[in-house]
Amino acid sequence: MGLGIANRKAIGADYLDAFQTLLRDHGLGFQGIDPAEVRRRLEIVRNLLLLEDWDTLNAQLDKLQPARHALGLDPLFAALQDQHSDDALTWIDDYLTGSAERAPVKHQQTALLHLALRALDLQRNALRDEQAEIERQIHAFSLRASHALGDLTSRYLELQAEKQRRQAAANPTLQAEADRAQADYAQYRDANAR
């Protein structure tokens, strides 16, 4: 079973995303970004927000920009862009007290779950292909069996109908069974001829 180019690229992207998340969580990724420096800058941003010094704040945000995506600072930038200083202060406090450190773990779990979902989707497709192959084999077997045994089965049903007809001639209460046997024979004979 071959994977399409789109599936291979998507799987590769998921693996890279999960790998980058693991690197970041263990302090091995995103060279040039010092988390301790980011924490110090966030403390400065917090104090500038309390002072409502927006001019000096922009200079600090410029210095945080390289770490924005790598350390998940997007909510802070969004709050500051809309000048929601209360939301920004709350986010910074959460980050500095450690709740933001759990965000990469959530991101890692999401990436790993996404990867597992893709793997399960591929397994499901493989099982569908296998099911289709098994159904094809069953159909082929049914056709071969019908072809090989068709004449014998037809002859058996013909003899059964003849037997029921003779018994019904001797005992009229068996006529319904004789009619069913004759109908079964005629139906099978027509189906086998097709």
Side-chain angles (χ1 to χ4, degrees), residues 24 30 33-43 45 49 60-82 87-89 91-96 99-101 103-104 107:
R24 183 186 66 225
F30 311 110
I33 298 173
D34 180 10
E37 180 185 340
V38 170
R39 290 178 67 82
R40 285 191 300 274
R41 295 233 179 256
L42 286 174
E43 289 172 0
V45 167
L49 280 171
Q60 292 300 320
L61 292 177
D62 288 342
K63 293 178 181 178
L64 284 173
Q65 189 65 32
R68 178 178 181 169
H69 299 296
L71 296 179
L73 303 178
D74 288 326
L76 172 64
F77 278 83
L80 291 174
Q81 182 178 0
D82 296 336
D87 293 343
L89 286 169
W91 190 91
I92 291 171
D93 287 341
D94 288 346
Y95 189 95
L96 294 175
S99 65
E101 291 174 8
H107 178 68

Side-chain angles (χ1 to χ4, degrees), residues 128-141:
R128 277 188 187 158
D129 292 346
E130 187 177 338
Q131 178 186 9
E133 176 61 21
I134 289 171
E135 288 174 354
R136 187 195 63 75
Q137 289 176 354
I138 289 171
H139 182 68
F141 174 80

Side-chain angles (χ1 to χ4, degrees), residues 12-73:
D14 289 343
Y15 273 111
L16 287 175
D17 188 33
F19 187 71
Q20 289 296 336
T21 300
L22 288 171
L23 285 175
R24 183 186 66 225
D25 291 346
H26 296 284
L28 300 174
F30 311 110
Q31 282 75 21
I33 298 173
D34 180 10
E37 180 185 340
V38 170
R39 290 178 67 82
R40 285 191 300 274
R41 295 233 179 256
L42 286 174
E43 289 172 0
I44 294 170
V45 167
R46 183 182 183 285
N47 291 331
L48 291 172
L49 280 171
L50 291 172
L51 294 172
E52 296 182 6
D53 186 354
W54 291 95
D55 295 330
T56 310
L57 180 66
N58 288 330
Q60 292 300 320
L61 292 177
D62 288 342
K63 293 178 181 178
L64 284 173
Q65 189 65 32
R68 178 178 181 169
H69 299 296
L71 296 179
L73 303 178

